[in-house]
Amino acid sequence: MPLSQPGSTKFQVNLRRHLRNQDISDNLVHLICEIAEASKYVINAVRTGDLGVAGTSNLYGEEQLALDVLSDRIIKKRLIHSGVVCNIASEEMDEIFQAQADADGLYSVAYDPLDGSSLVDVNLAVGTIVSIYEGCNLLQKGRNQVAAMYILYGPRVSMVYSVGKGVHEFTMNHLMEYTLSRENVVMKPEGDIYSPGGLRNKYHAGTEKFVRYLEEKGAKLRYSGGFVPDINQVIMKGKGIFMYPALNGSPNGKLRLLFELNPMAFLIENAGGAATDGKTPILDLDPQSLDQRAPIYIGCKNDVAKAMEFIA
Ligand code: AHG
Ligand code: MN
Ligand code: MN
Ligand code: MN
């Protein structure tokens, strides 16, 4: 049984009320509110925490920053104590952590505790990305997610979530409570922003041609190097495309399927957009391992379709 009775806590009442209207389980409402509450401690860590390295590396062999490890610990602890989580996987943990064994009524969570952590020392926006499945299996197609969300630590702190019934944005108020700021966000069919990740001189010919096409039609280049603000801009302006493509030497690009691509693809599709690895919708990719990466083209439906024409 959940340690803390779902709904027994009184925090994040606005978010809880909105979630309850989405016809989802009390446990899922409770879980999303717990993640929202945990973000308050991540904000504090980002604003005041140590900017140095942790002296360890993650399952991708990347050097971890102290903030990666601290943010991961904050979120993991909150998930365990929520009492509604079976398995946990994180970009910063080497393997899956089992919080509880029984699957019924429980959820499993894959998350990137602090995406863009290397941007904190130059004070650029960063975020937390979360993907939620029913039961205990985390290696399943992204289309099976029951919820996905990100929290963007920018000039304002916003949380964008979907449980498959629209995409909704909450913004943190002076009491550190999330209040509804945008409901049922819908993207335009195409737009004039492009966010090209990865080194341009490593682009495949088709990708290079696509970028030249965008430049010729006067699209605006918007790239911060933070996946969460870069995606948030495309979703909230409702126009454009983000890409971190296959590169010469890195056929799967850089971004991680479980912790970054699946949750963002779930959100974008629920906002009327599209997300593909260049051939297959991201949500239909069958994860074989925790550390799987994939190329991504994500944003407005027509822009993603145009990209696929060029890179085919
Ligand atoms: P993380 O900080 O979780 O390791 O992810 C960083 C990612 C993502 O935020 C961004 O889209 C990408 O790295 C940027 O990569 P480049 O620095 O190669 O542009
Ligand atoms: Mn990341
Ligand atoms: Mn990360
Ligand atoms: Mn990292």
Side-chain angles (χ1 to χ4, degrees), residues 32 128-132 142-143 145-151 159-169 184-187 227-228 231-232 234-236 259-275 282-283 298-299:
I32 294 174
T128 297
I129 311 171
V130 183
S131 169
I132 301 175
R143 203 160 295 284
Q145 291 170 97
V146 290
M149 60 199 279
Y150 60 78
I151 295 144
M159 193 195 85
V160 175
Y161 89 85
S162 178
V163 292
K165 301 176 179 84
V167 172
H168 316 290
E169 179 198 61
N184 295 317
V185 176
V186 176
M187 299 179 67
F227 190 44
V228 178
I231 291 288
N232 186 66
V234 167
I235 293 184
M236 296 304 159
F259 307 112
E260 295 165 326
L261 306 189
N262 272 337
M264 291 307 196
F266 183 84
L267 289 165
I268 273 266
E269 285 204 7
N270 275 283
I282 293 291
L283 294 180
I298 179 170

Side-chain angles (χ1 to χ4, degrees), residues 37-57:
E37 196 64 5
S39 71
K40 290 160 57 174
Y41 302 91
V42 175
I43 295 166
N44 194 37
V46 167
R47 286 182 177 155
T48 60
D50 169 15
L51 293 177
V53 293
T56 51
S57 57

Side-chain angles (χ1 to χ4, degrees), residues 7-258:
S8 61
T9 38
K10 285 289 158 267
F11 54 77
Q12 301 300 346
V13 282
N14 299 303
L15 174 63
R16 191 179 298 279
R17 187 178 308 120
H18 197 265
L19 287 162
R20 280 193 185 291
N21 290 334
Q22 307 270 340
D23 188 23
I24 55 177
S25 76
D26 284 355
N27 281 0
L28 186 53
V29 169
H30 180 64
L31 176 55
I32 294 174
C33 289
E34 286 283 347
I35 294 166
E37 196 64 5
S39 71
K40 290 160 57 174
Y41 302 91
V42 175
I43 295 166
N44 194 37
V46 167
R47 286 182 177 155
T48 60
D50 169 15
L51 293 177
V53 293
T56 51
S57 57
N58 66 14
L59 77 161
Y60 297 92
E62 294 160 343
E63 181 177 54
Q64 289 175 308
L65 299 180
L67 282 179
D68 285 321
V69 176
L70 178 55
S71 313
D72 189 55
R73 231 186 21 240
I74 290 167
I75 295 170
K76 179 178 174 185
K77 198 159 148 259
R78 196 92 200 195
L79 292 176
I80 294 166
H81 289 274
S82 73
V84 295
V85 170
C86 174
N87 281 326
I88 296 172
S90 154
E91 188 184 282
E92 306 303 340
M93 290 191 317
D94 289 344
E95 53 201 23
I96 289 175
F97 176 88
Q98 184 175 75
Q100 295 184 73
D102 52 328
D104 66 315
L106 298 188
Y107 295 89
S108 287
V109 183
Y111 64 95
D112 179 354
L114 195 61
D115 179 86
S117 53
S118 60
L119 301 172
V120 173
D121 66 346
V122 289
N123 209 15
L124 282 174
V126 291
T128 297
I129 311 171
V130 183
S131 169
I132 301 175
Y133 293 89
E134 237 165 9
C136 295
N137 176 12
L138 279 165
L139 279 178
Q140 54 179 308
K141 290 184 179 180
R143 203 160 295 284
N144 299 340
Q145 291 170 97
V146 290
M149 60 199 279
Y150 60 78
I151 295 144
L152 173 53
Y153 311 111
R156 303 169 82 82
V157 177
S158 58
M159 193 195 85
V160 175
Y161 89 85
S162 178
V163 292
K165 301 176 179 84
V167 172
H168 316 290
E169 179 198 61
F170 280 69
T171 301
M172 190 176 267
N173 67 14
H174 62 296
L175 300 172
M176 296 193 91
E177 275 192 350
Y178 287 102
T179 55
L180 185 64
S181 40
R182 284 184 174 95
E183 195 168 34
N184 295 317
V185 176
V186 176
M187 299 179 67
K188 297 175 181 66
E190 59 190 56
D192 60 357
I193 290 176
Y194 69 107
S195 207
L199 289 176
R200 184 84 180 263
N201 62 8
K202 294 194 171 179
Y203 276 17
H204 292 175
T207 309
E208 178 57 31
K209 281 198 199 100
F210 177 55
V211 172
R212 295 244 173 103
Y213 156 81
L214 293 168
E215 286 168 338
E216 272 141 35
K217 77 171 200 166
K220 291 193 275 300
L221 194 160
R222 295 283 184 273
Y223 188 76
S224 76
F227 190 44
V228 178
D230 289 343
I231 291 288
N232 186 66
Q233 176 167 221
V234 167
I235 293 184
M236 296 304 159
K237 286 194 185 298
K239 53 184 186 174
I241 183 169
F242 173 95
M243 63 187 100
Y244 205 108
L247 302 171
N248 293 326
S250 321
N252 293 319
K254 171 180 182 180
L255 299 180
R256 298 77 170 190
L257 180 57
L258 264 73

